[in-house]
Amino acid sequence: MATVVLAGTLDTKGEEYAWLRERLREYGSDVLLVDTGIMPPPAQAPVADVPADVVARAAGHDLARLRAAGDRGAAVTAMAQGLTRIVLDLYRKGRLHAVLAAAGSGGSAIAAQAMRALPIGVPKVLVSTMAGGDVSPYVDSSDLTLMYSVVDVSGLNSVSRQVLGNAAAAAAGMARRHERNHDEPAGRGRPVVAATMFGVTTPAVDTARARLAELGYEVLVFHATGAGGRAVEKLARDGMLDGVLDLTTTELADELVGGVLSAGPSRLTAAGALGIPQVVAPGALDMVNFGPAATVPERFAERRLLIHNATVTLMRTTAREMADLGTSIGRRLRAARGPAEVFWPLRGVSAVDVAGGPFDDPEADRAGLDALRAAVLGGEVRVHELDAHVNDPSFATAMADRLHQLITENNRKAAP
């Protein structure tokens, strides 16, 4: 029987969780109830299979001391850490096929952190009062299913029963499917490659994807908008990738300069840490992303700006910024435990970085290349300079072919 881990704060939502547990059982699921509440639950609350003090201990904390300290923020952080460790352990032991939670802001923060830690494909359903606003802090790059509670998760009524009932049915159905998938023969089929893309590098990625498909790969394409880059890093950490074609590294520019599409400081690190072959290019490093023109910070008013559309404004990176980016890429790849190579297009790094184009700046691009070469000097990272534009078919094909070679060589070395 598929098991749904039902995680929530029984000190404030015991009635709702008792009702959810019964619905899940009606829908054919085994249920493991985990209490993430900070205070002792009332007498009428359901008895948890994993009590709150066990959750706190999983994070190395004593729940009584957390209560006595009166620091709610620290307590929420501790419970989120403990729940994360518990669900990961249950998943590794085959005792978790889906996670379900219903909560306000604090409970949503606890549940979402644990859900995000689970691999892509593990069902995660969160009913939240916060789902009507900016949900990026809860979902980030995970496949978490978020439902707006409509009414507060406070008692049962004609609305909450419908919303929570739908969530329970969804979690139960997802859990059954996930359990069946685990019972199927092992093996993913074709090797999997992640590729990063932006609108201004789409022709290159389309060509590379077609070439890699010819070579027998399944290619997962990610839009380099921050969440896309974080998703690539997560899939690499989860062991779901055989190689990375990181053609579009523009998120690094947003992280450096302060644009709106940063993927965070860990971008371009996971594949290297795990020894996954990667071929990298400076796709769209010529730009930093902002929202509508009116939202561009005043300090950038004199910079070279391009209104991409009504909601996106691009800013050209300077020679100094390109040099910093070249150094950053070089250092990250030099730290890689597996094969890592860079392909640099000498005729431009994006669709708008072309001769006579709005972001044409050979001096800035050269500064990036020179800094990259200096950063990898003496190491094992090869840098290929191609007399081509990033979107030329020859450039994309060369990257795809080289990644195939690196993966093949890596697999040969790993074979017993």
Side-chain angles (χ1 to χ4, degrees), residues 132-375:
D134 178 12
V135 301
S136 58
Y138 302 101
V139 179
D140 194 34
S141 59
S142 74
D143 59 341
L144 188 157
T145 300
L146 194 59
M147 295 177 64
Y148 181 43
S149 61
V150 185
V151 295
D152 201 351
V153 184
S154 179
L156 296 169
N157 52 62
S158 59
V159 174
S160 64
R161 284 189 176 89
Q162 293 184 65
V163 175
L164 295 176
N166 286 341
M174 291 179 182
R176 285 195 298 274
R177 181 183 182 279
H178 188 67
E179 182 188 33
R180 286 199 300 269
N181 287 348
H182 272 250
D183 290 339
E184 292 174 357
R188 295 181 312 187
R190 293 180 294 165
V192 178
V193 166
T196 52
M197 185 176 77
F198 224 35
V200 292
T201 60
T202 296
V205 177
D206 284 346
T207 299
R209 179 178 57 182
R211 176 59 178 156
L212 287 167
E214 289 177 1
L215 294 169
Y217 294 91
E218 178 184 6
V219 183
L220 312 178
V221 179
F222 297 84
H223 200 187
T225 56
R230 291 192 296 274
V232 172
E233 302 298 314
K234 177 172 175 54
L235 287 174
R237 290 192 300 270
D238 288 346
M240 297 180 68
L241 301 178
D242 298 285
V244 179
L245 188 85
D246 219 337
L247 194 146
T248 308
T249 46
T250 186
E251 292 154 319
L252 296 174
D254 284 58
E255 174 69 13
L256 173 70
V257 183
V260 298
L261 299 184
S262 168
S266 62
R267 181 73 174 89
L268 199 62
T269 61
L274 294 168
I276 299 170
Q278 53 186 328
V279 174
V280 179
L285 277 189
D286 57 324
M287 59 187 63
V288 179
N289 296 267
F290 297 102
T295 68
V296 178
E298 187 176 346
R299 67 182 182 276
F300 297 132
E302 302 303 318
R303 294 282 294 270
R304 197 189 318 183
L305 302 175
L306 175 65
I307 298 177
H308 187 60
N309 56 46
T311 59
V312 176
T313 305
L314 310 176
M315 182 177 75
R316 210 324 173 168
T317 44
T318 64
R320 174 61 182 273
E321 290 162 354
M322 287 292 290
D324 289 344
L325 290 166
T327 299
S328 178
I329 291 173
R331 288 175 177 172
R332 294 175 196 219
L333 296 185
R334 188 164 179 173
R337 297 170 58 192
E341 300 188 1
V342 181
F343 279 68
W344 195 285
L346 298 177
R347 293 184 179 271
V349 301
S350 82
V352 294
D353 181 24
V354 294
F359 279 1
D360 182 20
D361 193 340
E363 181 183 348
D365 291 351
R366 173 56 64 175
L369 176 58
D370 290 345
L372 169 69
R373 283 202 166 279

Side-chain angles (χ1 to χ4, degrees), residues 5 7 34 36 55 58-59 78-88 110-111 114:
V5 172
V34 181
T36 60
V55 177
M79 299 306 279
Q81 293 171 346
L83 179 63
T84 298
R85 293 175 183 174
I86 286 170
V87 298
L88 287 174
I110 294 171

